[in-house]
Amino acid sequence: MALRVSHCPRHLRRLSLRSLSLPRVAPFSSTSYPLDYANTISHLNIGSHTRVIYQGFTGKQATVNALQSIDYGTKVVGGVTPGREGEHLDLPVLASVKAAKDALNPGATAIFVAAQYAAGAIEEAVEAEIPLIVAVAEHVPVHDMLRVHSMLSTQSKCRLIGANSPGIISAIHRCRIGFQPIPCFSPGHVGIVSKSGTLSYETAASTTRAGLGQSLCIGMGGDVVAGTDFVDALRVFENDEDTQGIILIGEVGGRAEEDAAEWIREYRKRCTSPKPIAALVVGMCARPGYIMGHAGAFASPGEASADEKYYALQDAGVTMVDHPSKFGNVMKRLLHGSTGGSAPSTTASQQRRGLHTLLRQRPSPTPSVLQHRRALHISSSQAHTFLSTFLHEQHSIPYLITTPPDSEAAALLGITIDRTTRAPCLVSARLDPSSTSAPDRKLFPFCYTHGPGVAIIGAALTHAHLISHTGAAQHAAELLGFLWQAFRAAEALRLEVQVAIVDEGGANEGTGPSIGSSGSHHGHGTGHGAGHGTGHGNGHDHGSTETIVAFAPECSFDDAGTAAAAALRPQPAPDATDADADAAATAAAARDGIAFVRLLGPPSDSPTAAAAVGTIVNGAGLAMNTVDALGARGASAGIRAANFLDTGGKATAATVARCFELVLAEPRVAAVLVNIFGGLTKGDVVAEGVVMAFKDARGKGARGEVPVVVRIRGTNEEEGRKIIAESGYPLYAFDDFDAAAEKAIELAKGRLQ
């Protein structure tokens, strides 16, 4: 990203940014092609011609996956295991990706290594200029991926899918690079792109049952930063002769769905016969402030809700559905009776009406401060301590105060992540106390390797209406630079502060204690008095009496980050509040590999407060969709889901039993809906777990009377339903989701009668 200082206001050009940026590096490419990552989307057109290698080839998971892919028809030509050479599966093993590139000339690599090694493996593949790189690992540190994307953005040879993606599969050309369940897929003409693995599997199965099949299925993945997004996939599908219809599956978090809606709107304008597009957006009933399974499944301040994403796509002419099992029939209707963009189906319209009723009943609005669980969010006081300590020890910058000043906050400043540009960004907004509307937050992305230059900082301060205040703007620019250093060192997801403009003399009066308030500033001068260390004694004399004070900090961190980053930040302090009890339950479930979030219920005096449906689902996307569907269908009766729960990709019988413990611990659960699509998870294994858990609960007297509805579809579905039907317990087995959801709601309503 080239930054021109001439675009920066004159009084900011004097600012020394030595500590804000690293040495410039040459663009990463050995070719003379234009350095545009967007030009690499053609590498997504995989097929029988694609030569595939594996990184981590001799590992157990890669071995099993490679055998399946080879049997499917994928042209696997070998793999890489560092420091090892020889043969594996009768294919060559090389010690490095560069050696594999020279010897095997692969067109793609499947990276099957642990999360902490994934970024390094991706970088090695980029250095070797492998055209398509597929990274399947989850929990890859976000800052590792930001570093990877700063590398990818300076080249035009390599395309990344992932991380945390099931991969890519061409059903029509029988090439799989990833771990999609092959039985769900069949050759056909529907292109699918999805954030959720499980939802994409059920969508594929639905289009297979409808006789449509699939052309190409791309797993965008659910991480904060994705190597390939919806617009990338849509551009491929537009020009793919094998693709006649398109399906998009989104979720809460980021703005990829809005970007897709903008692209689709322009596509429908320029194309006389646009391909029909159908979509599903999940996470409409997600609990604010919690991450719903996928690392990126949360809406940051200023981002659209899942509900708003739904309308953005619908307004662009996309046909919306409320469950993946309906995609087959909907797409068949669109392909045979329309050129695309028809109105939503009756079922989807009913879902919207029900959901709106539900949302009006929600007891509290979305908080402006998101306290993410499964990422690391700390309290305001801890955030103040963290930033104070970092700024004081590193730079002795005394801008942060504990008590808000008498003057109104003038601006919001901070660092976060722009998911669309796959880069860190400054965030700024003017704070107008007389306005009732939300602040106009604007993102200013910059290169992770280089840091924010003066032009980017100047643009952010201009948007915040700070640029005309010469002295305050200088100090605000320095503060942003130091926030960037803290953001990177501690591997943060978001660091934000509110800023007020004060007179330098006034900064020492009535604003509360500042950093370095003992008077000495480690060689940067002396403050004007004990307890106040701002003044001119900090060594910054810009010829103005105006300065800034910062307060009300908010910090979120990546809990998958490095140990060095974790050592810089405090851990959340436990409190005796209901919210913290819910967070503790989430954390306890996570230790068992289960993503669990208690959902907000109606007020305690509501007549429906005593009844809700507990959910047990495999896959975060399907779990969000289940919660949404129960909310829409049960809205008229005041019935909703009690929780979000993702069992994990390969739930065992013991895992399902643990899930029941979590769900039945909630007193308002009057029925349980187990919704399993057997892509990677086998239906008979889940059924055995359900029977075992129900038997165990009855034996312990632990709410064994709660009825259980089990919907099983996919791998070994008939065996699973047979186990449920022959269990001898009051368990209800279904293959149709609508019927299962209605039964669960009916059983929950029984408690209210």
Side-chain angles (χ1 to χ4, degrees):
M1 181 180 297
L3 304 177
R4 297 182 58 190
V5 176
S6 59
H7 291 167
C8 185
R10 182 178 300 276
H11 62 272
L12 281 184
R13 295 180 205 168
R14 301 191 305 271
L15 178 63
S16 172
L17 294 174
R18 291 189 303 272
S19 62
L20 307 187
S21 60
L22 298 175
R24 305 277 307 178
V25 295
F28 189 88
S29 180
S30 62
T31 72
S32 59
Y33 295 108
L35 301 179
D36 189 351
Y37 181 62
N39 292 339
T40 65
I41 63 167
S42 61
H43 299 322
L44 297 170
N45 291 308
I46 63 171
S48 58
H49 64 282
T50 305
R51 298 169 62 85
V52 180
I53 62 170
Y54 279 76
Q55 290 173 252
F57 186 34
T58 56
K60 180 178 179 180
Q61 290 186 345
T63 298
V64 173
N65 184 273
L67 287 170
Q68 294 173 344
S69 294
I70 291 170
D71 185 62
Y72 183 56
T74 307
K75 187 179 291 184
V76 178
V77 295
V80 174
T81 295
R84 181 173 173 180
E85 294 183 346
E87 286 193 352
H88 181 62
L89 306 181
D90 295 325
L91 294 169
V93 177
L94 285 304
S96 70
V97 180
K98 179 64 168 62
K101 176 64 182 296
D102 293 340
L104 304 174
N105 190 30
T109 177
I111 298 179
F112 276 70
V113 301
Q116 64 267 36
Y117 307 116
I122 295 170
E123 288 169 337
E124 186 182 1
V126 175
E127 290 170 356
E129 296 190 342
I130 306 298
L132 180 61
I133 304 165
V134 178
V136 302
E138 61 178 336
H139 305 305
V140 178
V142 173
H143 280 243
D144 281 5
M145 294 309 300
L146 289 173
R147 186 184 73 244
V148 164
H149 281 288
S150 72
M151 186 180 188
L152 286 168
S153 66
T154 66
Q155 58 80 55
S156 58
K157 294 288 287 184
C158 306
R159 162 63 51 171
L160 173 66
I161 294 176
N164 192 18
S165 165
I168 181 171
I169 182 170
S170 171
I172 201 167
H173 297 298
R174 303 188 71 80
C175 177
R176 182 186 77 159
I177 311 172
F179 57 79
Q180 300 93 334
I182 291 171
C184 296
F185 295 85
S186 63
H189 299 285
V190 176
I192 300 171
V193 58
S194 175
K195 283 185 175 180
S196 163
T198 306
L199 288 177
S200 71
Y201 311 154
E202 179 148 12
T203 298
S206 176
T207 55
T208 292
R209 287 194 300 271
L212 300 176
Q214 310 83 38
S215 54
L216 185 67
C217 300
I218 301 171
M220 174 178 168
D223 272 6
V224 175
V225 183
T228 294
D229 59 24
F230 290 136
V231 172
D232 296 328
L234 288 168
R235 290 172 61 201
V236 170
F237 293 148
E238 175 190 9
N239 297 302
D240 180 25
E241 294 181 356
D242 292 327
T243 300
Q244 298 174 5
I246 302 169
I247 291 174
L248 182 152
I249 305 168
E251 65 186 32
V252 65
R255 58 164 291 114
E257 293 79 4
E258 296 164 277
D259 293 339
E262 293 174 10
W263 186 93
I264 291 167
R265 188 176 291 106
E266 292 302 314
Y267 165 63
R268 290 172 59 80
K269 287 180 181 178
R270 71 172 184 269
C271 184
T272 55
S273 300
K275 298 177 181 181
I277 304 174
L280 167 67
V281 177
V282 302
M284 296 178 183
C285 292
R287 180 170 178 176
Y290 279 72
I291 294 178
M292 309 301 286
H294 293 150
F298 64 90
S300 294
E303 289 184 345
S305 65
D307 199 54
E308 291 167 325
K309 293 181 178 190
Y310 177 103
Y311 280 119
L313 288 166
Q314 180 176 306
D315 292 345
V318 177
T319 299
M320 306 302 294
V321 305
D322 66 346
H323 193 270
S325 63
K326 298 179 180 178
F327 272 125
N329 289 333
V330 167
M331 184 55 66
K332 179 184 286 187
R333 175 172 57 84
L334 292 175
L335 287 170
H336 295 167
S338 168
T339 56
S342 66
S345 65
T346 302
T347 303
S349 300
Q350 292 171 344
Q351 179 203 20
R352 304 304 310 147
R353 290 195 294 271
L355 181 61
H356 288 165
T357 302
L358 174 68
L359 292 176
R360 287 196 298 270
Q361 296 173 347
R362 294 183 74 164
S364 60
T366 300
S368 59
V369 176
L370 293 183
Q371 299 189 10
H372 297 310
R373 316 296 179 177
R374 295 196 72 203
L376 180 64
H377 184 94
I378 56 179
S379 68
S380 183
S381 62
Q382 288 180 307
H384 185 279
T385 300
F386 161 71
L387 287 177
S388 297
T389 302
F390 184 88
L391 294 178
H392 185 212
E393 289 184 354
Q394 302 294 322
H395 310 288
S396 290
I397 301 302
Y399 296 140
L400 196 66
I401 61 176
T402 55
T403 305
D406 293 336
S407 57
E408 297 285 352
L412 180 145
L413 298 176
I415 315 277
T416 187
I417 297 172
D418 183 347
R419 303 194 198 192
T420 297
T421 62
R422 307 176 177 104
C425 63
L426 303 183
V427 56
S428 71
R430 181 189 181 192
L431 299 181
D432 183 358
S434 64
S435 175
T436 58
S437 60
D440 180 20
R441 303 167 64 98
K442 188 172 181 179
L443 305 182
F444 299 86
F446 57 87
C447 176
Y448 185 81
T449 302
H450 301 153
V454 291
I456 294 294
I457 292 177
L461 297 183
T462 298
H463 181 69
H465 291 231
L466 292 174
I467 205 69
S468 60
H469 302 271
T470 304
Q474 288 282 342
H475 295 157
E478 290 172 332
L479 179 61
L480 278 173
F482 297 129
L483 285 177
W484 162 238
Q485 291 189 343
F487 181 90
R488 186 166 180 174
E491 299 190 20
L493 299 178
R494 182 170 66 101
L495 298 182
E496 291 182 2
V497 294
Q498 294 183 37
V499 170
I501 300 174
V502 298
D503 181 78
E504 288 226 51
N508 294 318
E509 300 173 4
T511 58
S514 63
I515 304 171
S517 58
S518 61
S520 174
H521 292 285
H522 300 277
H524 289 263
T526 304
H528 291 300
H532 308 286
T534 320
H536 294 285
N538 59 14
H540 303 281
D541 182 4
H542 302 294
S544 172
T545 61
E546 286 185 327
T547 186
I548 56 139
V549 290
F551 54 95
E554 293 296 333
C555 304
S556 297
F557 303 96
D558 177 19
D559 65 355
T562 63
L568 295 175
R569 61 206 188 201
Q571 295 295 316
D575 296 315
T577 65
D578 290 341
D580 287 311
D582 290 351
T586 297
R591 288 191 288 271
D592 294 318
I594 300 167
F596 174 76
V597 176
R598 288 176 179 160
L599 301 179
L600 301 176
S604 57
D605 58 353
S606 168
T608 61
V613 177
T615 66
I616 298 174
V617 189
N618 69 313
L622 188 59
M624 282 187 275
N625 179 238
T626 301
V627 169
D628 293 345
L630 285 171
R633 289 162 172 76
S636 61
I639 302 296
R640 67 192 76 196
N643 65 277
F644 160 95
L645 189 151
D646 170 18
T647 64
K650 295 182 179 180
T652 64
T655 300
V656 175
R658 172 65 176 135
C659 292
F660 269 95
E661 291 180 21
L662 290 165
V663 170
L664 294 177
E666 174 63 59
R668 62 193 175 107
V669 170
V672 177
L673 173 60
V674 180
N675 183 21
I676 301 296
F677 180 81
L680 300 175
T681 302
K682 295 182 179 180
D684 55 340
V685 172
V686 174
E688 290 171 355
V690 170
V691 173
M692 181 179 73
F694 194 89
K695 180 180 179 181
D696 186 58
R698 278 200 158 189
K700 294 179 179 178
R703 308 196 64 207
E705 80 286 353
V706 176
V708 177
V709 177
V710 184
R711 183 256 183 173
I712 299 178
R713 200 70 189 257
T715 307
N716 295 350
E717 61 177 77
E718 293 183 2
E719 295 90 330
R721 288 196 294 272
K722 182 178 180 182
I723 291 171
I724 295 295
E726 297 177 355
S727 67
Y729 296 115
L731 306 174
Y732 304 85
F734 293 86
D735 61 356
D736 178 71
F737 175 78
D738 285 337
E742 293 297 339
K743 184 63 176 181
I745 292 168
E746 174 191 330
L747 292 169
K749 286 169 59 178
R751 175 184 283 191
L752 303 177
Q753 298 172 353

